[in-house]
Amino acid sequence: MTDVHPAWLPPEAFRAIGSRRVLVHGDGPLAGTVRDEVARACARFGGSLCDGGEADLVLATSDHLPAHARAVLYGEEAGETGAAPGGDEAFPTGRRDRMTGTPDGDENFLVGRRGGVTVVAGEGAGLLYGLFHVVRLGERAFGADFPAERHRPAMRRRMLDHWDNVDVHPVMGQVERGYAGGSIFWADGGPRGDLDRVRAYGRLLAAAGVNAVAVNNVNVHATEARLLTDRLGDVAALAGALRPYGIRVHLSVTFAAPVVLGGLSTADPLDEDVRAWWAGATARVYEAIPDFGGYLVKADSEGQPGPFAYGRSHADGANLLAGALAPYGGVVHWRAFVYDHRQDWRDRSTDRARAAYDHFAPLDGEFAGNAILQVKHGPIDFQVREPVSPVIAAMPRTRLAVELQVTQEYTGQQRHVCYLAPMWREVLGFEPWGPGGRTVAGVAGELVAVSNAGDDPYWTGHPLAQANLYAFGRLAWDPGLGPAEILDEWIGLTFPDTADRLREPLHAIMNGSWETYERYTAPLGVGFMVRPGHHYGPDVDGYEYTPWGTYHFADRDGVGVDRTRATGTGCTGQYPEPWSEVYESAERCPDELLLFFHHVPYGHVLHSGKTVIQHIYDTHFAGAEEVAELRPVWDGLVGLVDPALHARVRELLDEQLRSAREWRDQINTYFFRKSGVPDAHGRRIH
Ligand code: GCW
């Protein structure tokens, strides 16, 4: 692992801890990880691991808290009794694991400071998260006193899915939709063999709050299928490297495994032999990996096998695997990304945006308690702007995970700066039942994202894309965090020496970068318009006459997809009130989603007061202009970041500008030629 960028955990981030006297007290492997971290920091910065009353920082499991530390958290009187403020239990959460019935409190931690001592108490991974909390606080953890606060993750599972292949796929390569080099886990048909790098990845993820990783692509090809059986040892090795950081390993499996691996004639979920096969295979998995997280399945989707072949439902399919995993406390993540990818573009009644709801909403209540339906955040496919998926509000009796895409397949492929936390924050804060109601974050128990990390020295190709990986973990821990606040944390950790001078320019470059990207690409929620296959760069009609169900229907009069109940596909009816009405009405529909739900004439006037066509021209000129402004800001940072990192970003900004101009010109030219409407400001359109 040479020359790998430390991302948000450079040694310097540990200075505040490493220059102090620290007591680490607790049993168990994760307490050991905390001790190792602290020991390394102290060796570097002159502090010490101590074992007595003189500590500046105490990190301990609750049963190992010394009395004086206990008093810091619980008050003097409680110091001896162990009663937590506001509750009887030290770590109450009220949540219990549905399968095992055990309290689900081992990720919590308490932190407080009094009389010159900072104390963190937590069980299991909680202690580790507490350590990283102190890392984030830096010197602030050792300044003024602060009362004990309890921290707990909002989402119980905070998971990254890797679309990594073991074999190099002839079209998709080592990592499907990977823009950061090869895979951290696999290379050329086998394990990549750099477990130090895997461990370092786990450490970064833990510091951001992630606790689960699926180590192979949801498109499970022949070699990858065997990770479940004869290649299980490779998965166990990864689990071993990630375990010290509280991260469980999950595996994408093929629904056809009993046939392709087990030699059975069927994979029918109701067949007894099939059940027995999964039970046996799963038992062997847990023998090798006792804390294995579970399976991830893409079934009946884009050519992957599934229960439809046997006339069974997706609940039958998911419950088959859930049943095999249940004895061990494992879970199956079953993806809701099911749609017809062989549709006829002439057929306007089939609507890909409807598909997940149509397939899954009727199955609400039929899924096992350890089956989690994993729903992409929008109804189509990770576009720069989509409404929230209607599935999220439609399945109150089903455990749901919301899936985001950190890898920037549709948002610039890690060649463009596109800080995605503002989009995710909007998704998580969306209220499906209207203002004042529950939010998406409140409905989903888990947050999952497709990782953007690879074996690139900066982990993410574009060094600034590290912030997306970091922000994903932080939002999964606390969806209430503000995107700018998270970015600020990331800047402080990643560039500890120059953060004060970097904050303003980096916020200027990144805060609005998602909206900038939106401005120069597909307008008003219409989506796609990317080059087929690799999905980089503009190609307005690239998907228009294909079977993929991603159309914009632009003609000389107008553009957009009619998804209304009145005259279109009826997709608006999949939303509860008030959104079903808001989206149904071209007058009330939010501008940014207008073309997702409506086909309108170019002269349609938006809430902004502009016509659709003028909005298209204006945003595309503005978006490309905004990108042109980034380069001078970045040039001003020479000397404030590592020269190699500076050079890498500079090159990428040049490509982003080239690409943004290409988008601007293709989109504007296309719509000018279709509509014949000139730009009100007479700017150059080709
Ligand atoms: O957006 C699409 C991608 C596919 C991906 C699929 C999915 C893994 O283009 O590459 O396949 O989504 O989410 O399953």
Side-chain angles (χ1 to χ4, degrees):
M1 215 190 90
T2 47
D3 290 336
V4 175
H5 189 259
W8 50 88
L9 289 181
E12 196 59 30
F14 288 79
R15 176 181 287 278
I17 293 175
S19 53
R20 290 196 159 74
R21 293 163 301 176
V22 188
L23 170 67
V24 181
H25 206 10
D27 304 322
L30 293 181
T33 303
V34 171
R35 196 172 292 114
D36 291 349
E37 288 284 347
V38 171
R40 233 179 315 155
C42 288
R44 180 180 287 268
F45 294 107
S48 59
L49 268 175
C50 62
D51 48 26
E54 76 279 17
D56 309 302
L57 171 63
V58 175
L59 292 148
T61 52
S62 60
D63 52 339
H64 283 92
L65 268 184
H68 75 286
R70 184 172 290 278
V72 169
L73 295 179
Y74 302 134
E76 286 304 341
E77 320 76 58
E80 301 305 319
T81 68
D88 297 336
E89 282 178 76
F91 300 95
T93 66
R95 290 185 318 193
R96 282 181 183 268
D97 185 302
R98 277 218 228 169
M99 291 313 300
T100 62
T102 51
D104 184 24
D106 65 354
E107 295 192 316
N108 299 338
F109 63 90
L110 280 166
V111 57
R113 177 169 175 81
R114 215 177 63 198
V117 185
T118 302
V119 178
V120 175
E123 315 302 317
L127 193 62
L128 185 64
Y129 294 133
L131 167 75
F132 286 126
H133 181 77
V134 177
V135 170
R136 273 195 298 276
L137 290 176
E139 279 303 324
R140 282 170 299 155
F142 303 98
D145 285 0
F146 56 93
E149 317 160 348
R150 191 188 305 281
H151 292 255
R152 61 169 69 104
M155 303 281 175
R156 144 203 212 144
R157 197 170 288 100
R158 306 169 299 279
M159 177 168 175
L160 285 166
D161 289 359
H162 278 253
W163 288 352
D164 298 16
N165 299 316
V166 177
D167 279 335
V168 177
H169 185 273
V171 180
M172 291 299 171
Q174 190 78 64
V175 180
E176 181 156 347
R177 313 307 180 185
Y179 313 105
S183 164
I184 298 169
F185 306 134
W186 316 105
D188 303 320
R192 185 171 180 279
D194 186 352
L195 290 176
D196 287 345
R197 183 85 194 253
V198 176
R199 195 181 151 99
Y201 183 54
R203 180 169 178 259
L204 285 174
L205 295 189
V210 169
N211 67 357
V213 167
V215 297
N216 66 307
N217 189 359
V218 290
N219 290 327
V220 182
H221 310 291
T223 301
E224 292 75 12
R226 292 166 49 204
L227 294 173
L228 177 62
T229 52
D230 54 313
R231 286 177 175 250
L232 188 54
D234 298 338
V235 183
L238 297 177
L242 294 170
R243 186 171 296 119
Y245 288 97
I247 293 169
R248 288 185 189 222
V249 157
H250 295 241
L251 197 60
S252 296
V253 296
T254 169
F255 193 74
V259 177
V260 298
L261 301 170
L264 302 190
S265 59
T266 178
D268 182 347
L270 301 191
D271 183 282
E272 272 317 310
D273 293 341
V274 169
R275 283 181 183 281
W277 187 87
W278 278 108
T282 305
R284 286 185 289 279
V285 171
Y286 278 91
E287 252 163 58
I289 311 169
D291 58 354
F292 179 70
Y295 299 139
L296 166 61
V297 188
K298 171 176 177 177
D300 291 317
S301 169
E302 300 184 334
Q304 295 296 305
F308 284 163
Y310 308 99
R312 310 297 183 195
S313 78
H314 277 254
D316 293 331
N319 292 346
L320 164 73
L321 301 191
L325 290 156
Y328 313 96
V331 294
V332 56
H333 285 87
W334 191 269
R335 294 180 87 225
F337 184 59
V338 177
Y339 71 100
D340 180 1
H341 71 290
R342 297 213 177 95
Q343 99 173 63
D344 185 338
W345 60 268
R346 302 166 192 84
D347 158 27
R348 289 218 183 184
S349 64
T350 305
D351 180 4
R352 175 165 164 181
R354 289 191 54 123
Y357 179 105
D358 285 341
H359 284 299
F360 288 94
L363 301 178
D364 187 34
E366 291 182 25
F367 287 90
N370 63 330
I372 297 152
L373 189 65
Q374 183 166 314
V375 186
K376 287 191 181 185
H377 66 84
I380 303 247
D381 199 356
F382 299 137
Q383 299 305 290
V384 67
R385 179 75 72 169
E386 291 189 43
V388 158
S389 167
V391 175
I392 294 166
M395 303 193 65
R397 293 182 295 152
T398 306
R399 284 174 74 176
L400 296 179
V402 170
E403 183 179 320
L404 309 173
Q405 197 180 42
V406 186
T407 196
Q408 290 172 237
E409 177 178 2
Y410 297 104
T411 50
Q413 303 201 347
Q414 281 142 255
R415 291 188 243 179
H416 298 215
V417 184
C418 188
Y419 178 51
L420 290 165
M423 179 213 280
W424 301 333
R425 184 67 192 73
E426 265 188 41
V427 168
L428 293 167
F430 180 76
E431 295 158 331
W433 294 274
R438 292 171 75 194
T439 61
V440 167
V443 174
E446 307 196 355
L447 202 61
V448 177
V450 187
S451 177
N452 65 349
D455 74 354
D456 168 68
Y458 293 99
W459 297 95
T460 52
H462 202 307
L464 301 184
Q466 288 178 3
N468 284 330
L469 190 57
Y470 181 76
F472 163 73
R474 297 290 290 136
L475 279 173
W477 182 282
D478 180 359
L481 290 173
E485 183 187 348
I486 297 172
L487 186 59
D488 221 52
E489 269 181 26
W490 176 78
I491 296 168
L493 289 167
T494 307
F495 307 103
D497 297 327
T498 50
D500 289 345
R501 290 153 74 197
L502 286 173
R503 277 183 214 285
E504 204 191 306
L506 282 181
H507 279 292
I509 291 171
M510 295 171 74
N511 280 357
S513 53
W514 164 53
E515 283 176 317
T516 294
Y517 186 84
E518 179 181 31
R519 281 184 198 109
Y520 61 79
T521 58
L524 298 166
V526 79
F528 278 83
M529 300 191 168
V530 290
R531 282 195 192 281
H534 59 62
H535 297 166
Y536 187 72
D539 186 348
V540 181
D541 280 339
Y543 274 109
E544 197 59 11
Y545 309 102
T546 72
W548 292 94
T550 52
Y551 314 119
H552 53 70
F553 300 125
D555 59 23
R556 64 175 190 172
D557 299 316
V559 56
V561 188
D562 185 353
R563 295 196 160 102
T564 63
R565 303 191 282 291
T567 50
T569 68
C571 179
T572 58
Q574 296 182 332
Y575 289 87
E577 291 275 22
W579 298 109
S580 58
E581 294 305 324
V582 170
Y583 294 152
E584 175 77 7
S585 152
E587 278 61 52
R588 294 177 67 197
C589 185
D591 284 351
E592 67 273 13
L593 292 173
L594 184 69
L595 302 184
F596 188 94
F597 287 113
H598 296 272
H599 185 91
V600 296
Y602 292 114
H604 176 95
V605 179
L606 298 166
H607 297 122
S608 68
K610 288 183 183 177
T611 60
V612 164
I613 189 73
Q614 194 58 42
H615 172 94
I616 291 174
Y617 297 150
D618 287 353
T619 49
H620 284 78
F621 283 114
E625 211 29 63
E626 284 158 25
V627 176
E629 287 159 16
L630 301 181
R631 179 64 202 276
V633 178
W634 184 255
D635 284 349
L637 306 185
V638 175
L640 294 181
V641 299
D642 170 68
L645 185 149
H646 192 273
R648 163 93 65 118
V649 173
R650 194 177 50 223
E651 266 169 42
L652 289 163
L653 285 173
D654 288 346
E655 163 54 18
Q656 180 172 1
L657 181 56
R658 185 207 61 75
S659 176
R661 286 178 171 154
E662 188 181 359
W663 270 101
R664 174 196 66 193
D665 292 338
Q666 286 207 25
I667 298 278
N668 283 347
T669 300
Y670 179 95
F671 283 105
F672 173 62
R673 289 182 186 175
K674 281 269 163 178
S675 71
V677 181
D679 171 33
H681 306 295
R683 289 164 291 195
R684 178 139 194 241
I685 295 178
H686 299 266

